[in-house]
């Protein structure tokens, strides 16, 4: 396997740059020598995520709602549109904001990229596949999505964003790429954001029961954040329009994940079963053939190693109060 494609960027704009994945992207771009403008309204992003970056040369924070404005003074050569509530706790609390960010926010980010002749990357999601009837999911699969269910504000915002990005490229020739991210986890997540990994880790470290929904047989595919960032930047550097799946093809059930977290955390917590959310997908696993073949990318960090790093980070955060 060859190394992922790299490219030297001068100035990158990262919308949602104070979010979980966005903040890791900002750091990776700074480390690679790019100037970075982080645009975030901090509605779901954490100031703590970017606090270590504020004093770094080339980093600028612009607090703004991208659905209303995208005030960037310096012309970028890369626009990464990652602004959006991404966890169930957030998009269920902010349904209209989620849809505005996926529609008007995507349009504003595309306009910035087009006018700047910049490369544009849209952060889409495996949720566009809904509760899939195909497993694993490849990029040709159209999905099985409920457009009026409780998850639809996020699913449909991302599906619309993909359609808008495609139309912009075909109408104006904007240099676009769509990446579909699968279940990214790692340091920097919020313990109460409603996603499985941070929830299980928080509960295990506190000695609380791990709340597994349904019978726990539903599956996810966990991709450590460093691998996700490498895949995104490989897609940005390539001329690929996508969509392209960025995720780990190793599938794990939620019950097995809960037990693994308990073991790695050295916890005595037990499992408690709770009601399964409406429209919760039964399976989730990416086919990453396209990313392997075109980008030379595949994940390198296994679940045990990634979870150990994540648990260590949560433990350190708890010690700092």
């Amino acid at each position: 396997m060859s190394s992922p494609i790299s490219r030297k960027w001068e100035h990158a704009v990262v919308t949602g740059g104070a979010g979980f994945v966005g903040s890791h992207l900002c750091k990776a771009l700074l480390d690679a020598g790019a100037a970075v403008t982080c645009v975030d309204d901090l509605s779901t992003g954490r100031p703590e995520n970017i606090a270590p970056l504020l004093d770094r040369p080339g980093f600028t924070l612009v607090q703004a709602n991208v659905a209303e404005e995208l005030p960037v003074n310096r012309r970028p050569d890369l626009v990464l549109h990652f602004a959006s509530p991404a966890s169930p706790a957030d998009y269920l609390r902010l349904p209209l904001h989620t849809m505005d960010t996926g529609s008007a926010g995507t349009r504003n980010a595309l306009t910035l990229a087009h006018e700047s002749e910049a490369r544009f990357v849209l952060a889409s999601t495996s949720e566009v596949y809904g509760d899939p009837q195909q497993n694993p999911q490849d990029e040709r699969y159209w999905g099985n999505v409920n457009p009026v269910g409780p998850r639809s504000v996020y699913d449909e915002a991302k599906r619309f964003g993909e359609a808008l990005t495609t139309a912009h490229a075909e109408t104006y020739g904007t240099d676009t790429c769509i990446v579909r991210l699968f279940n990214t986890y790692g340091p920097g997540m919020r313990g109460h954001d409603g996603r499985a990994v941070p929830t299980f880790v928080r509960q295990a470290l506190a000695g609380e029961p791990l709340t597994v929904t349904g019978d726990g047989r539903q599956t996810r595919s966990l991709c450590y954040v460093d691998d996700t960032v490498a895949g995104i930047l490989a897609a940005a550097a390539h001329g690929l329009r996508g969509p392209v799946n960025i995720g780990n093809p190793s599938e794990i059930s939620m019950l097995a994940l809960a037990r693994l977290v308990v073991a790695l955390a050295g916890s005595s917590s037990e499992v408690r079963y709770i009601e399964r959310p409406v429209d919760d997908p039964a399976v989730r696993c990416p086919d990453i053939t396209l990313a392997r073949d075109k980008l030379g990318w595949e994940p390198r960090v296994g679940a045990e190693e990634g979870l150990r790093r994540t648990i260590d980070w949560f433990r350190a955060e708890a010690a700092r109060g």
Side-chain angles (χ1 to χ4, degrees):
M1 176 65 60
S2 60
S3 298
I5 298 165
S6 61
R7 178 173 165 183
K8 181 72 173 178
W9 303 103
E10 297 296 326
H11 175 217
V13 170
V14 183
T15 73
F20 167 50
V21 176
S23 60
H24 283 271
L25 273 171
C26 288
K27 181 180 183 302
L29 287 161
L30 287 169
D31 290 346
V36 175
T37 298
C38 164
V39 183
D40 203 302
D41 66 359
L42 301 180
S43 60
T44 61
R46 300 171 68 241
E48 297 90 340
N49 285 344
I50 54 171
L53 308 180
L54 293 175
D55 293 330
R56 291 189 58 170
F59 183 79
T60 303
L61 171 63
V62 175
Q63 190 168 344
N65 180 352
V66 298
E68 298 175 354
E69 59 176 343
L70 196 45
V72 176
N73 296 324
R74 179 180 171 188
R75 178 185 176 121
D77 55 356
L78 175 64
V79 176
L80 296 162
H81 183 42
F82 279 68
S84 176
S87 74
D90 289 333
Y91 62 68
L92 293 175
R93 176 173 57 89
L94 300 167
L96 296 179
H97 178 62
T98 300
M99 301 203 78
D100 287 344
T101 304
S103 53
T106 302
R107 183 66 178 266
N108 288 339
L110 280 162
T111 298
L112 173 64
H114 176 67
E115 292 178 348
S116 303
E117 298 182 339
R119 176 74 162 154
F120 175 87
V121 178
L122 173 71
S124 189
T125 171
S126 60
E127 295 303 317
V128 301
Y129 299 120
D131 188 5
Q133 297 173 340
Q134 170 186 305
N135 195 49
Q137 299 87 56
D138 65 32
E139 294 85 353
R140 294 168 296 180
Y141 179 55
W142 291 355
N144 177 40
V145 180
N146 179 358
V148 294
R151 303 169 70 97
S152 65
V153 293
Y154 183 62
D155 301 350
E156 297 301 325
K158 291 298 187 181
R159 288 163 69 93
F160 180 83
E162 288 198 13
L164 182 57
T165 297
T166 302
H168 215 276
E170 293 178 350
T171 302
Y172 299 118
T174 311
D175 182 14
T176 65
C177 178
I178 298 168
V179 292
R180 290 177 178 163
L181 308 185
F182 280 70
N183 298 112
T184 300
Y185 72 100
M189 300 188 85
R190 290 174 295 141
H192 291 274
D193 82 352
R195 288 179 276 198
V197 170
T199 298
F200 289 166
V201 171
R202 173 180 56 80
Q203 291 170 335
L205 292 179
E208 301 171 356
L210 273 65
T211 49
V212 172
T213 63
D215 60 12
R217 289 188 294 179
Q218 64 273 29
T219 68
R220 297 295 182 266
S221 300
L222 306 177
C223 194
Y224 189 66
V225 65
D226 290 356
D227 285 332
T228 296
V229 166
I232 293 163
L233 294 179
H238 195 280
L240 184 69
R241 181 188 287 189
V244 57
N245 290 336
I246 301 295
N248 193 319
S250 296
E251 204 169 359
I252 186 171
S253 75
M254 291 298 91
L255 180 57
L257 173 62
R259 289 171 173 166
L260 179 58
V261 168
V262 167
L264 293 174
S267 173
S268 59
S269 293
E270 298 180 351
V271 168
R272 178 165 61 90
Y273 295 94
I274 62 174
E275 185 177 358
R276 189 170 165 188
V278 176
D279 295 335
D280 182 46
V283 294
R284 180 71 81 235
C285 183
D287 181 327
I288 62 168
T289 302
L290 182 61
R292 281 194 180 112
D293 291 349
K294 295 295 185 181
L295 307 179
W297 173 87
E298 63 180 1
R300 301 173 183 270
V301 181
E304 288 197 16
E305 176 60 25
L307 287 170
R308 281 194 186 96
R309 296 180 191 178
T310 305
I311 290 166
D312 288 346
W313 182 84
F314 270 91
R315 186 176 277 124
E317 286 293 292
R320 283 194 288 268

